Amino acid sequence: MKNITILAIESSCDDTAAAILRNGKVLANIVSSQLDHEKYGGVIPELASRLHQQNIVRVVQAALQKAEISKEELNAVAFTQGPGLIGALLVGISFAKAFALGLGIPLITVHHMQAHILANFLSETPPQFPFLCLTVSGGHTQLVLVKDFVEMEILGQTIDDAVGEAFDKGAKMLGLPYPGGPMVDKWAKQGNSQAFRFPDAETNTFDFSFSGIKTSLLYLIQKSSKENPNFVAENMADLCASYQAQLIKMLLSRLKKAVKYTKVKDIAIAGGVSANSELRTRFVALCEENGWKAHIPAFEFCTDNAAMIGIAGHYKYLAGDFADMMAVPFTR
Ligand code: KG4
Ligand code: ZN
C-alpha cells in the first residue's frame, strides 16, 4: 500500500506550527509559540501575523528535518482554514497553497475545532463513533456529538466567554502573566479549593456561561483588597484552586447531562484547557465512576499544534476531500 505523507500547518492564533504525519502517525510536531505577546497581556493580532510570517519557513524546515523526509515524499498539504485571526490564518493558507502548487500535490482545508477533537485519534486507543467531546479552548467551549470524522453536532456551547478566556482573564486579575491558564493550574496545586465560593451560572441544559464567575472573582479581589492590600498575594494558591475547581465543576456538570441525554459511552475532551491537570484528573474520575470510556489527547496535542491538523487532514485525504486554490480563511 502507498504511504500517505502529509505536511500540516497551523497558524490560527499565536502558535506557528508544522507537523509531518505518515499514515496517521506523527513523524514530527514542531510548535513555535510567540512569546512576544506576553508583555501586552494578550494576543495582538497584527503582531501574530508578522511573527507567523517570520517563523513559518523555519518551522516547516524543522518539521521536514525531524521527520527525515524530503518535500518530494509529501502527498498533500493540510492547513487550518479557520476559525482564527484572519491575518494569522492568511499566512498559513498562503504558505500551504504555494507549497502545494510548487510540488503539484493536493491541498486539504481543516477546521481548527474539528482538529482539536480529532487529536483524540492520535492515540493508540481512539474513541469509537459516535462519541461525545467536551471541547475547551481559548476561543471555544462546546459539547459536541461526534458522528464521524466530519459530521459533528454541537449540543451546547458558551453564551459568552470561553473557559480558556475565564482562566486567562481570571489570572490577569490575580496579576499572573499571560497565558494565565497554565499559571492558575500550577498555583492551584498548592491551594484549598474550598477556601472561596464562586457561583455557577443559569443556562440552557448544555450551554455554558463564564462571565458571572469572572465578575465574582473581580468583586472578591476588589472588596478583600480594600481590607487587606496583600489579599491576593497571601491567598494566591487558594484563589486559584477555588476558581479553577468551580470552572471545572461547571464544565463537568453540563458534560454529565449531555452523556445522559445522548447515552453514548465514549467520552473525550479536547482543546487547550484539556491540558489542565485538575480537569484531566476529575474527568477521568467521572468517567470511571460512571463506567464511561475516557479519552484525552496526549498533553502535547491539547494546546494548538499541527499534528491535530495532520490527523484531520489524513482522514480527509482518505475520503478524497481536497480543496482548490480558491480556499479562503474563515474567522468564526
Ligand atoms: O486550544 P488552545 O491552545 O488555543 C485556542 O484554540 O484557543 O487553547 C488555549 C487556551 C488558553 O486560554 C490557555 O490559557 C488554556 O488553553 N490552557 C490552560 C492550560 N493550558 C492551556 N488552561 C488551564 N490549565 C492549563 N494547564
Ligand atoms: Zn485551538
Side-chain angles (χ1 to χ4, degrees):
M1 208 182 75
K2 180 179 153 244
N3 279 327
I4 302 170
T5 310
I6 294 181
L7 165 67
I9 312 271
E10 155 63 34
S11 71
S12 64
C13 193
D14 58 344
D15 294 303
T16 314
I20 309 284
L21 273 75
R22 176 163 283 166
N23 303 325
K25 298 274 168 272
V26 181
L27 299 185
N29 182 39
I30 309 288
V31 182
S32 168
S33 296
Q34 303 175 354
L35 304 175
D36 306 54
H37 301 280
E38 199 179 308
K39 58 177 174 286
Y40 303 105
V43 178
I44 307 293
E46 173 62 18
L47 181 59
S49 320
R50 285 167 190 263
L51 293 171
H52 282 309
Q53 209 169 17
Q54 280 174 25
N55 294 341
I56 195 152
V57 172
R58 185 175 54 79
V59 168
V60 170
Q61 267 171 350
L64 287 165
Q65 213 166 38
K66 173 90 199 295
E68 295 180 353
I69 66 153
S70 69
K71 297 194 288 286
E72 289 67 32
E73 291 175 75
L74 294 171
N75 299 102
V77 182
F79 65 90
T80 305
Q81 188 178 18
L85 303 170
I86 183 92
L89 289 166
L90 273 169
V91 177
I93 294 185
S94 312
F95 183 91
K97 282 182 181 175
F99 211 76
L101 194 67
L103 291 169
I105 55 176
L107 262 184
I108 300 171
T109 56
V110 173
H111 188 292
H112 182 85
M113 296 314 294
Q114 289 201 341
H116 269 305
I117 294 172
L118 296 178
N120 279 289
F121 286 82
L122 292 167
S123 130
E124 292 295 324
T125 50
Q128 305 269 319
F129 296 118
F131 66 92
L132 195 68
C133 187
L134 173 67
T135 316
V136 281
S137 73
H140 293 77
T141 305
Q142 298 179 327
L143 275 167
V144 185
L145 181 60
V146 187
K147 297 173 184 174
D148 62 33
F149 291 111
V150 280
E151 208 195 330
M152 303 188 187
E153 183 186 346
I154 298 170
L155 300 179
Q157 57 189 323
T158 180
I159 57 170
D160 41 51
D161 297 328
V163 66
E165 252 179 293
F167 266 103
D168 295 341
K169 291 188 179 155
K172 199 171 178 177
M173 290 178 215
L174 294 168
L176 298 172
Y178 180 87
M183 297 300 292
V184 172
D185 189 351
K186 215 166 145 191
W187 273 100
K189 285 189 186 6
Q190 307 143 39
N192 170 10
S193 63
Q194 306 292 316
F196 299 99
R197 295 230 163 269
F198 292 102
D200 197 340
E202 276 191 29
T203 56
N204 288 333
T205 319
F206 306 133
D207 285 342
F208 305 87
S209 165
F210 298 105
S211 57
I213 181 171
K214 255 178 22 192
T215 312
S216 154
L217 175 65
L218 179 69
Y219 286 172
L220 173 67
I221 295 172
Q222 285 177 343
K223 189 169 162 274
S224 306
S225 299
K226 262 188 211 153
E227 290 153 20
N228 170 13
N230 293 326
F231 169 74
V232 170
E234 284 170 11
N235 294 279
M236 186 64 90
D238 287 352
L239 283 164
C240 287
S242 305
Y243 185 68
Q244 172 179 281
Q246 182 61 8
L247 289 174
I248 293 173
K249 202 170 149 204
M250 288 159 86
L251 291 174
L252 296 183
S253 70
R254 272 70 169 180
L255 173 66
K256 243 186 200 161
K257 282 193 244 172
V259 178
K260 256 194 184 162
Y261 171 78
T262 56
K263 301 189 174 65
V264 296
K265 293 280 180 277
D266 271 44
I267 319 294
I269 52 174
V273 180
S274 64
N276 182 272
S277 57
E278 186 68 16
L279 175 60
R280 291 167 89 91
T281 307
R282 298 239 168 241
F283 170 73
V284 170
L286 179 72
C287 290
E288 271 170 10
E289 267 164 39
N290 290 279
W292 310 331
K293 205 157 175 228
H295 301 274
I296 312 182
F299 193 75
E300 62 189 311
F301 303 136
C302 288
T303 46
D304 285 350
N305 66 88
M308 68 182 195
I309 307 302
I311 193 72
H314 176 78
Y315 289 108
K316 277 196 152 184
Y317 186 98
L318 292 176
D321 188 353
F322 300 116
D324 61 31
M325 286 294 155
M326 300 305 283
V328 290
F330 58 87
T331 53
R332 293 175 66 82

